Amino acid sequence: MRSARTLQQLAAVPRRSLHHRSAGIIGAPFCRGQPRDGVERGPDLIRAAGLLQKLHEQSCAVKDYGNLAFEDVADDEPVGRVKRARAVGSANRRLSEAVRAVKQDGHTSVMLGGDHSLAIGSIHGHSAAVGDLSVVWVDAHADINTPLSSDTGNIHGQPVSYLLHELHAKIPVLPNFSWIKPCVSAKDLVYIGLRDVDPAEHYILKLLGVKVFSMSEVDQLGVARVMEETCDYLSAKVKKPIHLSYDIDAIDPSVTPATGTPVSGGLTYREGLYIAEQVAQTGLLSAVDMVEVNPLRGETDQDVRSTVNMAVDLLLACFGRLREGNHSPDYRLPEP
Ligand SMILES: [Mn+2]
């Protein structure tokens, strides 16, 4: 016969045991993947909004590895249309090594950007440490232009192309990029939130059969079904560690206006959080990027605050914070 559980024993059973998680935080104050100054301030702003303390308060261990120092690259002339390839290549090489070290130390890696070109190094380093990955890419944009298909030449619109095995033959030689080995399969990639996709990108997504939940699918299915299908899709065969690459511009500009390339019609605050909560609940989240927070793109202090606070709330959700509330497993009610 099963013995009756006390109230406190019942209350102490978490939905999933997330309290043992630890966050290894890397700041990547880098902006050369796109033309606008300010995005390099993201890591310090996100820390200043209390990320580390709030993670501690939800019983998450935190190690801050500080900000990476990126060397200035002289004479970084365009290669074809590709801008600042040498700076982007060398910064990502450094980041890749840093993320690999954080994973080898046993943490869930948290890369604070910086622009989205940093996903190259973050995903590369993550894969170098743990092997095959799933990637959940939450963004208004697909960031999958090849260096040759890109109209702007800004590498923050291209990172996925360097990482996919299937596009390897379409990538030309670029200075400081020779260290990059493709490490993600198209079938292990899911996009959520797309609403500004270039023709070449759309062609690639269809050609490779990439799983995409654009804002149309979010509207049609609702975010709950989108996340159910995302998690089913990613866990259908082998359960791989998840890399969540979260571009703050996935969220609607009414909530996160301080970003370089805002696109209207984005995820609500609640939809954005729900995505992070559900990825965390898989228990497979192994690394997260939080990118494209740019305080100089906000018109008011409130614009910047709202954008930074969203980034913090998303990261807290990644480490198990639930809107229903949380308590640590050893919590005990005070006795009278
Ligand atoms: Mn992006």
Side-chain angles (χ1 to χ4, degrees):
M1 201 175 90
R2 201 181 298 173
S3 62
R5 282 176 145 180
T6 66
L7 172 67
Q8 286 190 336
Q9 279 172 329
L10 281 171
V13 178
R15 260 160 73 170
R16 249 178 234 267
S17 183
L18 296 167
H19 60 275
H20 62 277
R21 285 263 184 83
S22 73
I25 296 177
I26 304 171
F30 182 77
C31 63
R32 304 283 181 223
Q34 50 84 62
R36 288 160 286 266
D37 286 338
V39 74
E40 73 282 358
R41 301 189 193 182
D44 289 343
L45 275 170
I46 292 169
R47 287 193 189 88
L51 173 65
L52 280 76
Q53 192 198 333
K54 288 173 179 176
L55 284 170
H56 273 303
E57 285 167 6
Q58 63 184 58
S59 305
C60 177
V62 184
K63 178 169 179 186
D64 190 352
Y65 289 75
N67 285 350
L68 296 173
F70 300 116
E71 62 217 27
D72 261 337
V73 179
D75 302 321
D76 201 355
E77 292 305 309
V79 181
R81 262 181 297 189
V82 180
K83 294 169 184 153
R84 292 172 295 273
R86 295 165 193 82
V88 173
S90 97
N92 274 287
R93 185 171 200 169
R94 184 155 294 183
L95 175 60
S96 173
E97 283 158 12
V99 170
R100 181 181 186 161
V102 167
K103 286 309 302 172
Q104 285 168 346
D105 287 349
H107 304 290
T108 299
S109 170
V110 178
M111 189 278 285
L112 305 177
D115 72 62
H116 218 165
S117 70
L118 294 162
I120 300 169
S122 182
I123 292 175
H124 191 279
H126 184 194
S127 172
V130 309
D132 283 346
L133 302 172
S134 301
V135 175
V136 178
W137 195 280
V138 187
D139 201 324
H141 313 88
D143 295 354
I144 197 170
N145 268 296
T146 73
L148 301 176
S149 78
S150 166
D151 280 332
T152 65
N154 296 320
I155 300 178
H156 79 153
Q158 309 169 17
V160 180
S161 77
Y162 302 99
L163 295 164
L164 285 186
H165 296 294
E166 289 86 348
L167 289 176
H168 189 48
K170 305 296 182 190
I171 306 298
V173 172
L174 290 172
N176 293 356
F177 274 61
S178 61
W179 59 274
I180 301 170
K181 302 282 173 280
C183 53
V184 179
S185 298
K187 65 170 173 41
D188 297 326
L189 170 62
V190 177
Y191 282 104
I192 303 171
L194 301 189
R195 57 194 184 278
D196 183 7
V197 177
D198 295 340
E201 295 185 300
H202 189 255
Y203 172 84
I204 292 169
L205 295 175
K206 295 295 175 190
L207 180 75
L208 302 183
V210 177
K211 191 79 168 165
V212 174
F213 297 99
S214 76
M215 286 311 298
S216 294
E217 281 72 42
V218 175
D219 286 341
Q220 184 189 355
L221 305 173
V223 71
R225 176 94 182 275
V226 165
M227 290 316 295
E228 199 183 317
E229 289 191 16
T230 295
C231 295
D232 285 352
Y233 179 81
L234 292 179
S235 59
K237 294 165 201 145
V238 189
K239 287 186 171 56
K240 296 172 181 148
I242 294 176
H243 189 110
L244 175 62
S245 203
Y246 216 123
D247 191 322
I248 204 71
D249 73 24
I251 310 298
D252 193 80
S254 58
V255 182
T256 58
T259 190
T261 51
V263 188
S264 57
L267 298 164
T268 64
Y269 178 90
R270 286 156 52 183
E271 289 166 340
L273 266 190
Y274 188 83
I275 291 166
E277 287 170 351
Q278 292 301 304
V279 171
Q281 289 296 312
T282 65
L284 296 170
L285 182 60
S286 175
V288 53
D289 309 323
M290 184 55 61
V291 297
E292 299 284 357
V293 171
N294 186 338
L296 298 186
R297 304 301 291 178
E299 284 177 14
T300 64
D301 286 352
Q302 176 53 29
D303 283 358
V304 177
R305 258 199 311 276
S306 172
T307 307
V308 173
N309 287 340
M310 178 89 238
V312 171
D313 288 351
L314 288 170
L315 289 167
L316 297 179
C318 287
F319 286 89
R321 184 185 188 204
L322 294 168
R323 285 170 285 175
E324 69 170 48
N326 294 80
H327 66 271
S328 72
D330 54 357
Y331 183 80
R332 294 291 177 270
L333 277 178
E335 298 294 337

